[in-house]
Amino acid sequence: MQIPRLETPRLLLQPLRSEDAIQVQQVFPRWEIVRHLIGSVPWPYPADGARQYIEGMALPAMKAGQAWHWSLRHRSDPNSLIGLISLRLGAEDNRGFWLVPEWQKQGLMSEACAAVTEFWFIHLDQTRLRVPKAMDNLASRRISERTGMRLVDTYRKTFVEGELPAGTWELTRDEWLAQRDKG
């Protein structure tokens, strides 16, 4: 399946490309972005970390039909990458994202999540979306809560910041469809 470009009122979600590594490397290695990401993200971030991730992990998973990765770009400046959002097949970790701090607290990630959640349930025909996260990642938790996700499990997990309390949030297709039909 070709990965489509997605659009929201304020964002362009473009399929991730090798060329995006340059911009990712420029904006991603910041503590406020990486601290709540999974512990396998190297920190300090290596000088070629973005290229390694995109070419060694993201693009092969996209080609295999196991993951879908998009760069986030604001419509006001479509040449500038401001974040990433991803979907992954699997039982426990289906969506991840990050956004540069200068663009946070504007509802942009909620828009991006809505677009990829629709893609997940409608185009990929998945029955549930599960998202693990650090419990103290309040902004990410709020996105899950506002989109009707439920906390279904709590545990400890290793993040870049260290071992922290974590939780898995879940939304089923039926729950998502019911919300969409109400709205």
Side-chain angles (χ1 to χ4, degrees):
M1 166 189 275
Q2 173 113 8
I3 298 177
R5 175 178 148 153
L6 303 175
E7 298 186 14
T8 74
R10 296 179 291 168
L11 293 172
L12 303 173
L13 286 71
Q14 297 181 1
L16 192 63
R17 305 170 304 150
S18 292
E19 300 80 29
D20 293 328
I22 294 167
Q23 287 192 60
V24 171
Q25 190 68 43
Q26 292 170 345
V27 299
F28 176 74
R30 297 164 69 175
W31 182 248
E32 59 265 51
I33 293 174
V34 304
R35 65 184 281 225
H36 288 126
L37 298 181
I38 60 171
S40 59
V41 173
W43 189 257
Y45 202 62
D48 65 343
R51 182 191 56 75
Q52 286 181 24
Y53 170 72
I54 291 171
E55 294 179 2
M57 295 176 70
L59 294 179
M62 290 167 69
K63 186 175 182 180
Q66 297 296 307
W68 298 263
H69 299 272
W70 291 271
S71 66
L72 302 178
R73 296 157 188 279
H74 198 276
R75 287 179 180 268
S76 67
D77 186 5
N79 294 319
S80 295
L81 185 147
I82 62 171
L84 296 182
I85 191 165
S86 304
L87 293 171
R88 296 172 291 278
L89 294 180
E92 297 300 322
D93 186 2
N94 304 128
R95 186 183 69 207
F97 54 74
W98 59 266
L99 186 67
V100 297
E102 296 81 6
W103 289 96
Q104 293 176 5
K105 298 180 181 173
Q106 300 176 41
L108 294 172
M109 193 52 74
S110 293
E111 282 184 29
C113 285
V116 301
T117 299
E118 179 174 330
F119 183 79
W120 180 256
F121 287 127
I122 300 298
H123 299 284
L124 297 178
D125 198 30
Q126 297 296 306
T127 59
R128 75 175 183 178
L129 178 69
R130 294 192 102 190
V131 181
K133 57 188 74 195
M135 294 301 281
D136 68 349
N137 188 347
L138 299 179
S140 184
R141 285 180 54 191
R142 279 198 242 18
I143 289 171
S144 293
E145 292 165 354
R146 281 194 305 267
T147 59
M149 297 186 95
R150 300 172 276 105
L151 181 64
V152 295
D153 194 14
T154 58
Y155 45 89
R156 293 190 68 77
K157 183 174 178 164
T158 301
F159 297 91
V160 173
E161 184 176 2
E163 187 176 305
L164 299 170
T168 296
W169 297 77
E170 180 179 282
L171 181 66
T172 67
R173 181 190 309 133
D174 290 342
E175 291 165 339
W176 178 78
L177 286 169
Q179 289 174 17
R180 189 178 76 158
D181 292 344
K182 285 181 189 175

